[in-house]
């Protein structure tokens, strides 16, 4: 088992995309290599929202008559990648409960409103969107990044 983990770490160090993905909180070396090898071209998705939907991390819609009803996540995409993202987000939720001063303010606000499991799936969705942005733009994850408005 240890040899397999060492091989994954070596692959993560040699792959530029996996190195960039491992800078995102909640993404392990296993998750970074799995995402880097599974998604060959992030340009096939128009947005991070479409990427999260491809992974099955968006709620299903049962809307009628102008009334929006959102249900459970669709679970339509790659089960392994979705599981890795949810496990990583769950670790962030657990860390936020014990060390709230070092946690993301968005996560703390989410935990104040929603149960822990719902918050971890919501954070997995957000992480998937960040993963798409890092892969599509070729940049490294930046903590507390404020996007510039397009003119």
């Amino acid at each position: 088992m240890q040899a397999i983990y060492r091989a994954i770490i070596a692959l993560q160090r040699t792959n530029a995309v996996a190195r960039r993905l491992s800078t995102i909180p909640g993404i392990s070396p296993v998750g970074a290599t799995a995402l880097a090898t599974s998604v060959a071209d992030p340009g096939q998705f128009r947005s991070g929202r479409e990427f999260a939907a491809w992974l099955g991390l968006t709620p299903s819609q049962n809307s009628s008559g102008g009334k929006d009803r959102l249900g459970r996540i669709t679970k339509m995409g790659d089960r392994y990648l979705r599981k890795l993202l949810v496990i990583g987000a769950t670790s962030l939720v657990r860390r936020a409960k014990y060390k709230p001063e070092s946690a993301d303010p968005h996560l703390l606000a989410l935990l104040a409103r929603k149960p822990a499991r719902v918050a971890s799936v919501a954070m997995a969705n957000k992480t998937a969107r960040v993963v798409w942005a890092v892969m599509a733009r070729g940049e490294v994850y930046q903590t507390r990044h404020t996007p510039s408005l397009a003119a």
Side-chain angles (χ1 to χ4, degrees):
M1 185 71 171
Q2 199 70 358
I4 295 170
Y5 191 70
R6 275 192 232 118
I8 290 173
I9 294 285
L11 178 64
Q12 184 246 345
R13 287 183 183 154
T14 59
N15 189 334
V17 175
R19 272 198 317 266
R20 286 196 313 269
L21 290 178
S22 63
T23 62
I24 301 170
I27 301 287
S28 67
V30 174
T33 54
L35 285 163
T37 56
S38 296
V39 183
D41 180 25
Q44 66 185 349
F45 305 104
R46 288 182 297 169
S47 64
R49 183 177 187 155
E50 192 174 292
F51 178 66
W54 179 73
L55 288 172
L57 286 169
T58 56
S60 62
Q61 292 186 354
N62 297 319
S63 304
S64 175
K67 184 166 189 155
D68 293 332
R69 293 188 186 104
L70 299 177
R72 299 173 180 234
I73 60 172
T74 57
K75 299 183 182 178
M76 295 301 283
D78 189 342
R79 184 177 186 178
Y80 181 66
L81 294 178
R82 185 174 54 251
K83 186 185 294 189
L84 288 174
L85 288 171
V86 171
I87 288 171
T90 303
S91 73
L92 292 176
V93 168
R94 290 190 66 188
R95 190 180 324 151
K97 285 185 176 181
Y98 295 110
K99 292 185 178 181
E101 64 277 354
S102 65
D104 182 16
H106 173 74
L107 176 60
L108 294 175
L110 195 59
L111 283 170
R113 295 188 316 265
K114 301 287 183 183
R117 291 302 294 168
V118 173
S120 64
V121 172
M123 282 304 293
N125 185 330
K126 182 178 178 185
T127 304
R129 292 171 184 222
V130 170
V131 163
W132 177 83
V134 166
M135 290 174 73
R137 296 182 184 138
E139 298 175 355
V140 178
Y141 174 75
Q142 299 172 6
T143 307
R144 311 264 193 267
H145 175 69
T146 55
S148 61
L149 297 175

